[in-house]
Amino acid sequence: MSTVQTTQTDVLTTVRGRLGEILLNRERAINALTADMIATIHSQLDAWIDDDRVQAVLIRGAGARGLCSGADIRALSQASAFERYDFFEAEYSLDLCIARYPKPVVAFMDGITMGAGVGISVHSAFPVVTERSRVAMPEVRIGLMPDVGATWLLARAPGRLGHLLAYTAGEMTGADAMAMGFAGHFVPSDYLGDVVDGLIAGVGSGDEAVENTRRIIGASAVEPPASVLVRNQAGIDEAFADPSPSKVIAALHDHGEDSADEAADLIAGMCPFSLIVTERALRLAAESTLEQVFETDLRLCAGLTARPDFREGVRAQVIDKDRNPVWNPSRLIDVDQADIDALFGDAES
């Protein structure tokens, strides 16, 4: 068995047996991704493509809190327009690299897995959730929209459940993530070590690596609990039949239940501009390839981060933490459709 480790502190890489391990190592920040971390991970994945020592890759996060809480949005909010564009371009390039990687990639979505953390995990060949998983795309809280290719999955979730998750920034349990297509295996957290040991000892090489990886994970996987989202799908589909955010809010209020009113109020508190962008992005993603979705994400997020809503959302949610953003415009009815059209540009052509 050989072991090789880098000296870059925020990302540690190790080769054990035929398994290449990538450990996100910013535990205090729940492993939030920086531009340097993205570059390091991508560079290592590129190096392992032609490295016969490595026949499978594992991505996981340091500490017990989660795989990754997302991008370092505080730093992103202080970056220049060029730096933000470069960040998103590099991030989506990494996500697509993981999605198209020629060797099996396993991602442990244990604990908090949000935003950028979703991007580096759900597109892997073997995304694994646990009973501790908390998976979400909370971007409408900060003036953005679900990116990292997530709209491709959300648009293909059962019924209108993807719209619910996108509009409410809602969290998925491991069971929900399985039902939504965000994960492929449910492994109790106590058994993740067994999966690692199995991959180190028996992943094999070449064509057998994929089947061996599937078998090793399957040996520790269990049937997930029932998804609460799926259980409530009928009512959600009815309320979101017309996915226009304003129509959804009205339909939820008309439902006559406290939980529906709470959902309506939650959506109404999100960034209005982001909600309308998200609805249109989901519609577009339903008819797009994953590559096309990433291209759209780059255009939209580069544009959205230039708007004042993004800095205000980061201020309210991350810096001051008063959870009381002042959006501009503040109401869905005041969002100018011409501004939405300009943001999408030729993305829909």
Side-chain angles (χ1 to χ4, degrees), residues 268 270-273 275-276 327-336:
M270 302 300 175
C271 175
F273 195 88
L275 286 171
I276 294 178
W327 305 121
N328 182 22
S330 61
R331 301 184 304 169
L332 285 163
I333 196 172
D334 293 327
V335 173
D336 190 336

Side-chain angles (χ1 to χ4, degrees), residues 165-218:
L165 291 166
Y167 293 1
T168 63
E171 286 187 11
M172 289 176 271
T173 64
D176 292 332
M178 290 278 291
M180 297 303 107
F182 277 63
H185 299 271
F186 190 101
V187 175
S189 57
D190 287 345
Y191 296 165
L192 293 178
D194 295 339
V195 173
V196 177
D197 292 343
L199 293 172
I200 292 169
V203 73
S205 61
D207 293 340
E208 68 180 1
V210 174
E211 287 307 314
N212 284 344
T213 299
R214 182 176 289 108
R215 173 183 54 79
I216 291 163
I217 297 173

Side-chain angles (χ1 to χ4, degrees), residues 18-333:
R18 292 186 179 275
L19 178 68
E21 297 179 66
I22 295 175
L23 178 71
L24 310 186
N25 194 41
R26 294 185 71 204
E27 185 176 349
R28 291 183 62 184
I30 320 180
N31 306 311
L33 286 179
T34 64
D36 286 345
M37 292 170 70
I38 289 169
T40 298
I41 296 167
H42 203 159
S43 177
Q44 185 61 79
L45 287 172
D46 285 346
W48 280 341
I49 288 177
D50 296 319
D51 188 339
D52 290 339
R53 296 174 308 157
V54 175
Q55 295 297 321
V57 174
L58 170 65
I59 300 173
R60 58 177 171 169
R65 297 172 69 191
L67 169 65
C68 174
S69 59
D72 189 335
I73 57 171
R74 182 192 291 258
L76 201 59
S77 70
Q78 298 167 353
S80 70
F82 293 108
E83 289 169 333
R84 293 194 302 269
Y85 186 93
D86 288 346
F87 178 90
F88 289 125
E89 187 175 43
E91 179 185 17
Y92 305 153
S93 178
L94 170 61
D95 296 341
L96 192 57
C97 168
I98 291 169
R100 302 294 183 244
Y101 205 66
K103 299 176 182 181
V105 178
V106 181
F108 285 169
M109 301 167 67
D110 187 34
I112 292 172
T113 304
M114 299 182 182
V118 169
I120 61 169
S121 56
V122 300
H123 303 300
S124 68
F126 298 97
V128 175
V129 288
T130 75
E131 79 286 354
R132 302 188 301 196
S133 294
R134 295 172 54 195
V135 183
M137 294 300 300
E139 286 74 15
V140 291
R141 290 186 187 276
I142 58 169
L144 292 179
M145 46 77 68
D147 64 335
V148 299
T151 54
W152 193 87
L153 291 168
L154 291 168
R156 289 162 176 78
R160 294 294 193 188
L161 296 181
H163 286 75
L164 171 74
L165 291 166
Y167 293 1
T168 63
E171 286 187 11
M172 289 176 271
T173 64
D176 292 332
M178 290 278 291
M180 297 303 107
F182 277 63
H185 299 271
F186 190 101
V187 175
S189 57
D190 287 345
Y191 296 165
L192 293 178
D194 295 339
V195 173
V196 177
D197 292 343
L199 293 172
I200 292 169
V203 73
S205 61
D207 293 340
E208 68 180 1
V210 174
E211 287 307 314
N212 284 344
T213 299
R214 182 176 289 108
R215 173 183 54 79
I216 291 163
I217 297 173
S220 295
V222 300
E223 190 71 20
S227 165
V228 174
L229 283 173
V230 171
R231 189 169 66 219
N232 295 325
Q233 182 183 339
I236 292 167
D237 286 353
E238 181 182 353
F240 284 73
D242 183 333
S244 166
S246 59
K247 295 291 182 61
V248 167
I249 291 170
L252 286 168
H253 279 311
D254 288 344
H255 202 269
E257 293 185 3
D258 289 345
S259 59
D261 284 335
E262 290 171 4
D265 291 342
L266 181 61
I267 295 170
M270 302 300 175
C271 175
F273 195 88
S274 292
L275 286 171
I276 294 178
V277 169
T278 297
E279 190 275 327
R280 190 155 161 179
L282 285 167
R283 186 170 5 115
L284 186 58
E287 300 176 352
S288 300
T289 65
L290 182 59
E291 285 84 355
Q292 289 170 331
V293 168
F294 279 121
E295 290 174 5
T296 301
D297 286 353
L298 180 57
R299 182 185 188 98
L300 298 182
C301 284
L304 287 169
T305 52
R307 292 178 54 82
D309 281 338
F310 173 60
R311 292 181 182 83
E312 173 62 8
V314 174
R315 179 207 63 76
Q317 301 295 340
V318 178
I319 299 174
D320 296 340
K321 298 183 180 180
D322 58 30
R323 306 293 191 267
N324 188 31
V326 179
W327 305 121
N328 182 22
S330 61
R331 301 184 304 169
L332 285 163
I333 196 172

